[in-house]
Amino acid sequence: MTLPHKGSRPAWALGTTALVLALSASQVLAQDVIRIGSITTLEGPFATGGQDAYRTMEMAFEAVDYTVAGKTIEWIRESSDATPDVALARARKLIEQDNVDIIIGPLSGAEGIALRDYSRTLEGRTIVNGSSGAADTTLRDPSPNFFRFNTEGTQWMAGLGTHAYNDMGAEHVALVAADYAFPYAQVFGFMHEYCELGGAVTKLWSPLNTTDFSSIIAQIPSDADAVLLIQGGTDALAFLTQYAEVGGDLPIIGGSITADQTLLSARGPHQRLMEGMVAAGPIADLNDDPEWLEFVANYRERWPDGFDSPSIHAFNYYTNTIAVLQALEEVGGDLSDNQAAFQEALANVEFTNPMGANVRLDDNRQAISDIFLTRIVNDGGTMRTEAFGRTEDVSQTMGMDTEAFIALGSPSRDNPDCPPAR
Amino acid sequence: MSLQFILTVTLNGLTLAALYFIVASGFSLIFGLMRTVNMAHGALYMVGAYIGFAVFDPIYGSAWYSYAWLIAIVAGIAAVAILGVVMQVVFLGWMQGQELRQALVTIGLSIIIADQLLANFGGSPFQFFAPDMLFGPVQVPGVGRYPVFRLFQVGLAVAVGVGLWLLLNKTRLGIMVRAGVDDRQMLAACGVNVPLVAATVFALGAALAGLGGVIGATAQPMALGVDARFLLISLVVVIVGGMGSIGGTALGAILIGLAEQWGQVFFPTYSVILTFVIMAAVLAIRPQGLMGRKIA
């Protein structure tokens, strides 16, 4: 076969011209479009939470009609299964193939740390957290390209240890917690206050996805004044059912994902123990703030098939999304110069989240905001959480000096520790 | 560690073993005796629970609420038995002896079943309310307050075990089943309708999975994904106990139940591994299982 020398040149030239034209056309287009990618868990153990997260994200984009500062928002959704390697692969896909400017996500703790590390290798791209709540994502070794506008696991427990010791009079609690990073952070937040006041904690760890807690229940000391339950989803459901079955009657103090919609909307014997359960976290279903009432009303109207009230993940994704939209508006959608102006605006953005709490960032780009004490009430046959206390401006270091706080060490199974005297 | 604590944890292990036995005995019938590779056993367990709950939920809200749980058990058993017969007749019967094919077909079926359950019932977990008679604590000597439902599980498991033993050893159907295990063709030559016997046994095994589903979803929360867990438990129990032996299945279930509960006390994070250590040890020392027959 001979190559058609003569005939090829015009075709080649034409092809190049077309390519150049196409490229410049797409560049023109690219400047009018802001591509936002997102990652949540639509697979695996937190699938219902992930689905709910996208509901409110969609509401945030619909509220601005997918336009910010005259530019169109293109939203590319991805899904993970709550494991860090999958979250990382999907983030790579969004950056490398879809060429997104900003990623909003992920949902779960270990995923957040993986994406924080990945964000450090990026230039001119920004990752804004979705709902992940591991403390170290922003506390230790933070990345300049990673922002988190939701508060995290340790912050969420603010005020609860004090309430347990002072108001409930519990001097010794039995901790029943899942054995992984997020509960460590929550336990740290609780014990930080509680041990300081003189409380004692007996720790009972269980692997994630435990379904039979009977032998854990048998180990709850007879002199404990309350049970601190840092479990989520079906694990919490299993514990409460089985604790009700042995006639357990200690008051229950919950973690921030214990009293979530999985537990509140599930029907079963656990409901007998849940009423009156106290917990702490960034949201409460029943809150008189007009912003919250409007948010819930909009949510219910837009998603009749959704939950009775937006979940914690929906709230966190929404909070992070509106922060991004506000920063984009401030810089007029300008993402040039490796997003320098945008990141600057993002770091200084200050706004009110749907709970009516002020949100601003610290130097590690971690949110400082309000935390609520909540109690489960029977609201006309439906179980809901009601706010009864509020700690304002909770920082990641729980009001301590950053260096002193870091010196306390990473939250772990053994840190902190204040066992009962024997 | 007090004596009371030791007794409590041991009783926890035995009561958990009872649940495992109910589910695994059906698997033992189908896989151990009939040699039908049924990787959809966990899916059958889940279908029993979901169908049971679909019937239970509306009745529990009505005046008939005290019967809701019993009706759920009947519904769960019936639905899964019918599903089992359909699986055996449409898919598995004509590929008897082709293990790989059966394994792949049943894995495919279990994926389809799980997705159908997700589409129809959603992803939220649920749990049955046990009837008031079976809910709450009773005093057990040496243990103290103990959930009455867990004791009921043991009674039910014993009843299932004795029933199966009588069925297999004292009835005409039992004779035909055991003969079919040894030589299908000779049994057919004797004028026995072998496919009918096979379908009956499959229905029985599936019905036990359905019963296990409702009982299991009363003891523990039911959510998507438990199918894999219970399939794995059934496999381990039957392999440890010995294929096709009811006594072996009971022994296997007791070992796994005790290992899980004592593991939770001594090394909570790694308790899952203990189960597999037992299986590996049994396979290494006695490959046919603790009470299994040696296959020539």
Side-chain angles (χ1 to χ4, degrees):
Chain A
M1 191 181 135
T2 48
L3 290 168
H5 284 284
K6 272 198 165 167
S8 70
R9 186 162 286 175
W12 171 83
L14 199 66
T16 311
T17 317
L19 199 66
V20 168
L21 280 173
L23 271 177
S24 51
S26 78
Q27 258 164 4
V28 168
L29 267 177
Q31 281 172 5
D32 293 332
V33 173
I34 292 171
R35 297 162 78 93
I36 299 180
S38 66
I39 299 173
T40 193
T41 54
L42 298 178
E43 310 147 58
F46 303 124
T48 43
Q51 187 186 19
D52 204 37
Y54 275 174
R55 289 194 187 116
T56 50
M57 241 183 117
E58 196 161 336
M59 281 167 61
F61 288 135
E62 279 173 359
V64 296
D65 201 18
Y66 290 90
T67 9
V68 65
K71 298 190 176 184
T72 310
I73 294 171
E74 194 182 330
W75 180 25
I76 300 155
R77 311 180 195 208
E78 266 300 340
S79 162
S80 166
D81 64 355
T83 60
D85 47 336
V86 172
L88 182 58
R90 302 297 154 88
R92 283 221 163 92
K93 182 250 173 194
L94 284 172
I95 295 283
E96 289 165 16
Q97 290 177 30
D98 299 320
N99 201 22
V100 300
D101 302 301
I102 301 156
I103 291 179
I104 299 177
L107 181 132
S108 168
E111 294 179 301
I113 292 182
L115 291 204
R116 186 268 322 256
D117 289 340
Y118 176 57
S119 73
R120 199 177 291 121
T121 68
L122 299 172
E123 227 171 86
R125 314 288 179 99
T126 305
I127 298 185
V128 179
N129 188 52
S131 185
S132 79
D136 281 354
T137 312
T138 48
L139 185 63
R140 290 179 173 80
D141 200 14
S143 153
N145 297 321
F146 192 93
F147 296 72
R148 180 155 69 180
F149 291 90
N150 60 286
T151 40
E152 42 87 336
T154 307
Q155 290 171 288
W156 289 344
M157 296 303 260
L160 193 58
T162 310
H163 176 73
Y165 193 86
N166 288 345
D167 303 340
M168 294 173 67
E171 292 176 4
H172 176 193
V173 298
L175 164 71
V176 178
D179 197 6
Y180 70 100
F182 174 72
Y184 296 163
Q186 291 246 283
V187 172
F188 191 95
F190 179 86
M191 290 177 70
H192 178 70
E193 290 176 12
Y194 188 70
C195 296
E196 185 103 315
L197 288 166
V201 178
T202 299
K203 293 176 178 170
L204 299 167
W205 299 103
S206 67
L208 187 59
N209 292 328
T210 296
T211 50
D212 192 334
F213 282 91
S214 51
S215 291
I216 301 248
I217 291 168
Q219 292 178 71
I220 294 175
S222 53
D223 61 345
D225 300 316
V227 172
L228 173 60
L229 182 68
I230 315 281
Q231 304 269 2
T234 50
D235 292 27
L237 189 56
F239 174 84
L240 286 174
T241 307
Q242 290 155 17
Y243 191 60
E245 249 177 357
V246 295
D249 48 13
L250 292 179
I252 310 281
I253 303 167
S256 305
I257 62 166
T258 308
D260 74 351
Q261 290 294 336
T262 307
L263 202 64
L264 294 171
S265 54
R267 294 188 54 184
H270 68 281
Q271 290 177 324
R272 300 180 195 198
L273 277 174
M274 264 174 27
E275 211 175 319
M277 182 176 116
V278 294
I283 66 166
D285 298 343
L286 300 177
N287 169 19
D288 292 334
D289 192 276
E291 296 230 17
W292 179 251
L293 294 176
E294 194 193 335
F295 181 61
V296 174
N298 289 344
Y299 172 88
R300 285 207 196 138
E301 192 192 326
R302 178 66 181 82
W303 306 104
D305 297 339
F307 290 125
D308 195 51
S309 179
S311 67
I312 190 169
H313 301 300
F315 170 79
N316 286 336
Y317 270 79
Y318 185 81
T319 305
N320 281 297
T321 306
I322 54 174
V324 168
L325 292 177
Q326 189 172 328
L328 281 172
E329 189 68 56
E330 273 175 28
V331 295
D334 174 22
L335 293 175
S336 61
D337 192 20
N338 277 344
Q339 302 191 350
F342 169 65
Q343 289 196 348
E344 171 85 30
L346 203 54
N348 292 314
V349 104
E350 197 166 338
F351 61 100
T352 312
N353 71 19
M355 275 297 282
N358 188 57
V359 180
R360 64 194 160 88
L361 294 189
D362 67 14
D363 293 341
N364 286 351
R365 292 157 299 282
Q366 163 64 41
I368 298 172
S369 189
D370 300 357
I371 300 299
F372 298 84
L373 288 175
T374 64
R375 181 183 286 128
I376 295 181
V377 292
N378 191 335
D379 185 24
T382 312
M383 293 291 190
R384 290 201 171 91
T385 59
E386 181 185 44
F388 70 93
R390 180 172 188 155
T391 315
E392 286 185 0
D393 282 338
V394 178
S395 74
Q396 197 177 19
T397 56
M398 309 296 271
M400 282 175 72
D401 177 57
T402 309
E403 266 175 39
F405 188 80
I406 286 178
L408 294 175
S410 273
S412 75
R413 219 176 288 164
D414 307 313
N415 182 43
D417 210 13
C418 54
R422 284 274 173 248
Chain B
M1 195 178 291
S2 68
L3 179 68
Q4 185 193 0
F5 181 68
I6 295 172
L7 286 176
T8 307
V9 176
T10 306
L11 191 57
N12 287 341
L14 292 177
T15 49
L16 183 62
L19 171 61
Y20 289 173
F21 174 77
I22 295 169
V23 184
S25 62
F27 190 68
S28 183
L29 276 183
I30 295 170
F31 178 57
L33 266 180
M34 304 284 298
R35 303 286 147 154
T36 299
V37 183
N38 177 23
M39 293 294 148
H41 197 70
L44 294 177
Y45 170 89
M46 214 157 67
V47 169
Y50 273 89
I51 299 285
F53 196 74
V55 175
F56 173 89
D57 207 32
I59 301 179
Y60 193 79
S62 75
W64 293 77
Y65 72 95
S66 50
Y67 300 100
W69 192 71
L70 289 175
I71 297 171
I73 288 191
V74 174
I77 291 176
V80 180
I82 293 168
L83 180 62
V85 170
V86 172
M87 273 174 64
Q88 167 69 14
V89 171
V90 179
F91 299 104
L92 300 171
W94 55 270
M95 49 179 89
Q96 185 63 35
Q98 303 173 51
E99 279 97 3
L100 185 60
R101 193 168 185 176
Q102 285 184 333
L104 291 176
V105 166
T106 48
I107 288 172
L109 282 174
S110 64
I111 294 171
I112 293 170
I113 288 171
D115 275 353
Q116 287 305 315
L117 290 178
L118 176 64
N120 286 302
F121 296 99
S124 297
F126 64 85
Q127 191 157 7
F128 289 95
F129 286 90
D132 285 341
M133 206 175 73
L134 293 176
F135 188 85
V138 284
Q139 285 294 331
V140 175
V143 173
R145 287 188 308 183
Y146 201 78
V148 66
F149 189 78
R150 291 182 80 104
L151 299 175
F152 167 76
Q153 264 170 243
V154 177
L156 191 65
V158 170
V160 165
V162 171
L164 277 181
W165 185 84
L166 287 175
L167 183 77
L168 288 175
N169 291 291
K170 300 289 174 191
T171 65
R172 209 179 128 72
L173 178 67
I175 294 171
M176 290 193 289
V177 171
R178 283 179 293 135
V181 172
D182 288 331
D183 196 330
R184 258 173 191 267
Q185 283 168 331
M186 190 55 84
L187 184 65
C190 292
V192 173
N193 185 345
V194 176
L196 182 67
V197 172
T200 311
V201 176
F202 205 103
L204 184 61
L208 284 170
L211 171 67
V214 178
I215 300 292
T218 312
Q220 306 175 349
M222 171 62 60
L224 292 166
V226 296
D227 51 343
R229 209 171 84 81
F230 272 87
L231 173 64
L232 197 64
I233 288 166
S234 302
L235 262 173
V236 173
V237 164
V238 169
I239 289 170
V240 167
M243 302 256 279
S245 155
I246 296 298
T249 307
L251 186 64
I254 289 172
L255 268 180
I256 301 303
L258 285 176
E260 210 171 282
Q261 290 297 315
W262 277 108
Q264 219 175 51
V265 172
F266 287 124
F267 30 90
T269 312
Y270 306 103
S271 60
V272 192
I273 300 171
L274 197 59
T275 312
F276 295 102
V277 171
I278 293 175
M279 185 170 87
V282 168
L283 282 176
I285 298 162
R286 223 183 126 80
Q288 71 271 36
L290 293 174
M291 291 176 73
R293 290 191 293 175
K294 215 169 196 138
I295 301 157

